[in-house]
Amino acid sequence: IRNYIFMYRKTKKIWKLCAFLPALFMMGVIFSFSAQTGTQSGSLSHDISVRVVETKGRFFHQELEKKEIEKQADEIEFYIRKAAHMTEYAVLTLLVAFGFYVNGFRRKRWLMVGFIFCVLYAATDEFHQSFVGGRGPSVRDVGIDSLGVLIATILLDVGQKLVKLLKGRRH
């Protein structure tokens, strides 16, 4: 029985550590995007911007010529790019918070530690870009990434408080 209890505790610890695997996967995704050259990254952003404009055109029944699509795509590309940064880091924040939550951290602690961790990862990611051709570190991008982290942290905090409030009303 003692061996069974030991194995149970060991397995439980392994599963708790596995709760961080989605966050590690997301960190890998972010790292791979940052490893793209400036040309590759710009091309991806431009392609997405073109698709957004084309989708908008279909939704509003607009017949846009290629030249107009390209013009509109160029106008929104910066915003698409920065929204992607914020979204990546918001998702990372949610996944890091999940890992801390599963491992029994108290809400305030996992919110604070998760926030700090994700902001630091954003800074190291920008440093990583200084070694990639056509890319460079940007304090502004760390700020934009951190805004995504902040938004996710606020949503988590409000969500947790709402769940606590709703649980209190049931009893």
Side-chain angles (χ1 to χ4, degrees):
I1 290 182
R2 188 181 303 161
N3 284 341
Y4 176 76
I5 292 171
F6 175 75
M7 289 302 293
Y8 171 76
R9 287 182 181 160
K10 191 174 183 177
T11 304
K12 190 174 176 182
K13 285 181 183 179
I14 290 170
W15 281 111
K16 282 187 168 192
L17 287 175
C18 286
F20 287 105
L21 288 177
L24 288 172
F25 175 78
M26 188 63 192
M27 290 168 70
V29 168
I30 292 169
F31 185 87
S32 70
F33 280 133
S34 293
Q36 293 177 334
T37 65
T39 303
Q40 291 170 321
S41 178
S43 177
L44 178 62
S45 296
H46 184 74
D47 291 346
I48 292 169
S49 299
V50 166
R51 288 187 181 173
V52 167
V53 171
E54 290 172 342
T55 302
K56 178 195 70 117
R58 281 193 298 276
F59 184 77
F60 290 108
H61 307 290
Q62 296 172 329
E63 295 292 327
L64 299 173
E65 293 182 18
K66 181 137 179 84
K67 187 176 178 181
E68 183 60 27
I69 291 171
E70 288 293 328
K71 179 180 178 269
Q72 288 184 23
D74 289 343
E75 290 171 355
I76 66 168
E77 186 174 339
F78 173 82
Y79 302 103
I80 295 289
R81 207 176 171 85
K82 299 315 167 188
H85 275 259
M86 288 175 55
T87 302
E88 288 174 341
Y89 279 90
V91 169
L92 178 62
T93 303
L94 296 173
L95 296 174
V96 167
F98 172 76
F100 285 134
Y101 174 78
V102 167
N103 281 279
F105 278 65
R106 290 179 307 166
R107 181 175 59 87
K108 289 291 182 194
R109 177 160 290 163
W110 58 256
L111 284 173
M112 181 182 62
V113 172
F115 178 85
I116 292 168
F117 176 83
C118 291
V119 169
L120 288 174
Y121 189 72
T124 61
D125 183 54
E126 288 300 315
F127 176 71
H128 164 241
Q129 287 182 28
S130 66
F131 300 101
V132 178
R135 304 284 296 264
S138 166
V139 174
R140 179 180 67 187
D141 280 354
V142 174
I144 290 168
D145 298 342
S146 298
L147 184 57
V149 173
L150 179 64
I151 290 168
T153 301
I154 290 169
L155 289 174
L156 282 166
D157 189 41
V158 169
Q160 284 286 312
K161 288 177 181 176
L162 188 59
V163 166
K164 190 175 182 179
L165 179 69
L166 292 174
K167 279 184 179 180
R169 286 189 175 181
R170 265 195 252 157
H171 298 290

